[in-house]
Amino acid sequence: MEFDYVVVGAGAAGCVVAARLAEAGHQVALVEAGGHGRHPLLHIPIGYAAMMNRAAFGWGHETEPEPHLQGRRIRWPRGCTVGGSAAINGLVFLRGSPGDFDGWAAGGATGWSYLDVLPAFRKLERHLAETDAAELHGFDGPIPVQRCATPSAVARAFVAAAVELGFEYRADFNGPSLSGAGFLPMNVRRGLRRTSATEYLRPALRSRRLVLHTRLHVAQVDFDGHRARGVECRDVSGGRLQLRAQREVVLCAGAVNTPPLLELSGIGAPAVLARLGVSIRCASPHVGEGLQDHLMARFVFRSRVPTLNTLRRSVPGALGIALRYLLGGGGPLGIAASEASLFATVQAEPRRSAKSTGPDLQFQVANFSLDSYAEGLHRFPGFVYSACVCRPDSRGSVHAVSADPLGRPAIRANYLDADYDVAALLEGFRLGRALARQPALAAIIDEEIKPGPAAASDEALLAHVRATASTTFHPCGSARIGPDIESGVVDARLRVHGVERLRVVDASVMPVIPSTNIHAATLMVAERGAEMLLRDA
């Protein structure tokens, strides 16, 4: 089967790229290993909590034992369905700090500064909230973005406490500055999750130019010499299918799955390819290296006000939640995983290895409490807020471990490997305690459950972090942009170094993790990648 383009992965990025190429008149094949993603809970915002660990909609990834987290394996939910991880994420829609992207450009990603990427952010966005920075927003793009109209008592108290502590109230986190406290934007409209699958792909499928192949696993990229010519696929029954690309193959498989696919196609570090028994097509030493993620460490509080933990367990509470959602898509069923955030700058020593270009810490608050999504909500009225380092210095890796394309990759996040990350997270816990002492929060806190009052020293707090911290679900950077093959996997136009007609357009190309949730930045990369493909065509 022949097409102009073959796009691998119908996740957040792949849906954008495939739709834009088809919209421009090209014949496109979009290949997805998962199914169509029609389960109702994939479309109800709070449904992410039930769906992120379901085998039917995810890859089931977990890290190798993490040396700085007591050797624990950390679950890494990644979506395996149309919509990808955007179908199971927490719906927080933050771009990142403007300084994040200026840092990309300064580090060698020419053409990726904030002013360079801003048009793509505006193009993809349908901003539905009031803002004093209209020039920074888009109002007719595919993805609706708005703030929760009725934040919970917990979220309101958290923001008020941050203001009491001296932080600025931030009405628009996607405006000129990220610092401060406020309520989070989310990609929800009329009570439903809105993603690139629903807003880009679904309209594009009405044309005959875009063909979506589901439950088809890409085994490798096929080459004619050093020129990509298509992909070899396997279906659920083991059958093989080849899809040919007359123009380019575009990998949008994500930060975890794109590097192993490159390696099984002969592109990677020679030592890794030798272990796999794969012939070298292109020696590319940075494939799978530079992996980054945000590590999340939680405070857990018993609450004096009702939270989702207990509201859902009583008949009147459950009926009230359902009624609010049915009448207008609001309430606990229609909100993002986190309702409010604080972005703060702290004086952690040692300082970051690179000059700071924005806040150091993000706090996210949720109107429920749990130890992990796999274990479910606590039975007492509780809430959490978590601290994470915005731009961690720690770097990990992801590599294929066998020549079997269905094999699981080896993920090493290497959390807390850098001294700065440890120091900044400890500062985060001190700040978190200070927030809890402010009148607005103190009024609704019955007690601190975790880490608990006994954890007063740095050693005790760090022990809590090592025993409980987990992913914030933001992997990126494993096929990063670099000016040449000695510094990166792709060039600034996202073309894979050392071969032709092959690009990577997903979160793996990000040189440094944005300071925030990365879904919006992934869509931006996809919009820019599609534009580059079309210009080069």
Side-chain angles (χ1 to χ4, degrees):
M1 302 175 69
E2 289 199 354
F3 300 86
D4 295 324
Y5 296 91
V6 175
V7 180
V8 179
C15 289
V16 173
V17 172
R20 290 302 192 197
L21 293 174
E23 180 184 273
H26 296 287
Q27 297 293 320
V28 182
L30 177 60
V31 188
E32 168 56 41
H36 283 277
R38 297 192 176 103
H39 195 290
L41 285 178
L42 291 173
H43 304 284
I44 297 173
I46 200 64
Y48 79 92
M51 306 306 283
M52 68 164 55
N53 286 308
R54 285 204 185 183
F57 303 104
W59 287 96
H61 292 316
E62 64 178 12
T63 70
E64 298 299 298
E66 285 294 319
H68 306 295
L69 298 183
Q70 298 184 350
R72 292 184 293 128
R73 292 180 180 268
I74 307 301
R75 288 189 178 187
W76 268 32
R78 310 308 302 154
C80 183
T81 183
V82 171
S85 297
I88 59 170
N89 73 0
L91 289 158
V92 173
F93 203 83
L94 293 171
R95 296 175 177 178
S97 168
D100 293 338
F101 307 105
D102 289 338
W104 288 9
T110 304
W112 289 86
S113 72
Y114 177 64
L115 291 180
D116 291 321
V117 304
L118 180 59
F121 277 125
R122 296 184 64 196
K123 183 178 182 179
L124 66 88
E125 181 185 58
R126 185 159 76 253
H127 192 73
L128 302 175
E130 293 183 5
T131 178
D132 294 330
E135 71 281 2
L136 301 182
H137 289 286
F139 298 92
D140 55 4
I143 302 294
V145 180
Q146 61 182 355
R147 290 187 297 276
C148 176
T150 56
S152 67
V154 167
R156 295 196 304 271
F158 177 85
V159 172
V163 172
E164 289 171 343
L165 196 55
F167 291 97
E168 181 180 357
Y169 174 72
R170 181 65 56 196
D172 183 4
F173 282 120
N174 291 327
S177 175
L178 187 61
S179 297
F183 302 102
L184 288 166
M186 55 186 181
N187 47 295
V188 173
R189 176 70 166 161
R190 298 195 180 101
L192 295 175
R193 175 187 296 270
R194 308 290 181 167
T195 68
S196 57
T198 62
E199 310 306 300
Y200 284 81
L201 180 62
R202 187 179 295 168
L205 287 173
R206 298 186 189 120
S207 81
R208 295 185 178 181
R209 292 186 294 272
L210 175 55
V211 178
L212 172 64
H213 299 268
T214 59
R215 304 196 183 282
L216 199 60
H217 192 100
V218 175
Q220 64 180 29
V221 179
D222 287 333
F223 285 86
D224 181 3
H226 278 69
R227 176 175 293 182
R229 62 179 183 181
V231 297
E232 180 184 315
C233 308
R234 296 183 186 179
D235 62 24
V236 292
S237 64
R240 297 174 182 267
L241 176 67
Q242 288 186 324
L243 301 175
R244 296 298 187 203
Q246 293 184 346
R247 290 186 179 273
E248 294 194 44
V249 174
V250 188
L251 303 186
C252 303
V256 176
N257 291 335
T258 285
L261 180 53
L262 287 170
E263 289 169 343
L264 295 185
S265 305
I267 303 169
V272 174
L273 300 185
R275 287 198 302 270
L276 298 174
V278 174
S279 298
I280 298 175
R281 187 171 304 278
C282 175
S284 185
H286 295 286
V287 170
E289 296 296 317
L291 181 67
Q292 300 156 62
D293 184 31
H294 289 132
L295 181 71
M296 170 175 61
R298 294 190 183 98
F299 285 89
V300 179
F301 298 97
R302 187 184 297 271
S303 172
R304 292 192 176 110
V305 299
T307 67
L308 185 58
N309 292 25
T310 47
L311 285 173
R312 71 189 184 101
R313 294 184 184 277
S314 70
V315 173
L319 287 176
I321 290 172
L323 188 61
R324 286 182 68 185
Y325 183 74
L326 292 173
L327 290 178
L333 296 182
I335 62 172
S338 300
E339 295 180 76
S341 264
L342 165 65
F343 287 92
T345 300
V346 296
Q347 294 300 314
E349 295 295 341
R351 298 298 298 162
R352 295 189 70 245
S353 60
K355 183 179 179 181
S356 179
T357 55
D360 301 298
L361 294 169
Q362 179 185 11
F363 288 83
Q364 298 190 68
V365 62
N367 188 38
F368 54 81
S369 68
L370 43 62
D371 292 321
S372 73
Y373 285 105
E375 297 173 30
L377 302 185
H378 294 141
R379 301 187 71 85
F380 57 81
F383 68 91
V384 301
Y385 52 76
S386 60
C388 72
V389 179
C390 288
R391 294 174 311 284
D393 279 347
S394 299
R395 296 292 184 268
S397 65
V398 54
H399 293 291
V401 295
S402 77
D404 179 3
L406 300 180
R408 296 184 184 277
I411 303 168
R412 294 176 174 84
N414 216 17
Y415 294 118
L416 299 183
D417 182 60
D419 291 342
Y420 163 77
D421 299 356
V422 175
L425 202 49
L426 285 174
E427 287 294 331
F429 269 80
R430 297 184 190 105
L431 179 54
R433 286 261 174 83
L435 284 166
R437 292 193 294 267
Q438 301 310 303
L441 264 178
I444 69 167
I445 293 174
D446 186 41
E447 65 174 315
E448 179 187 305
I449 304 293
K450 290 184 178 180
S457 66
D458 285 355
E459 292 76 16
L461 289 173
L462 188 55
H464 166 73
V465 170
R466 296 194 193 281
T468 65
S470 190
T471 177
T472 318
F473 319 112
H474 302 159
C476 62
S478 53
R480 66 179 182 270
I481 299 171
D484 53 46
I485 204 167
E486 297 304 320
S487 59
V489 177
V490 299
D491 66 13
R493 297 189 66 76
L494 309 184
R495 297 170 296 201
V496 175
H497 287 302
V499 295
E500 300 175 26
R501 295 189 179 183
L502 178 63
R503 298 198 202 213
V504 176
V505 185
D506 58 31
S508 66
V509 306
M510 298 179 184
V512 178
I513 192 169
S515 298
T516 63
N517 311 65
I518 67 169
H519 177 216
T522 302
L523 295 180
M524 175 276 291
V525 167
E527 280 281 15
R528 298 204 76 215
E531 181 180 315
M532 292 169 181
L533 283 158
L534 291 172
R535 284 184 178 178
D536 289 351

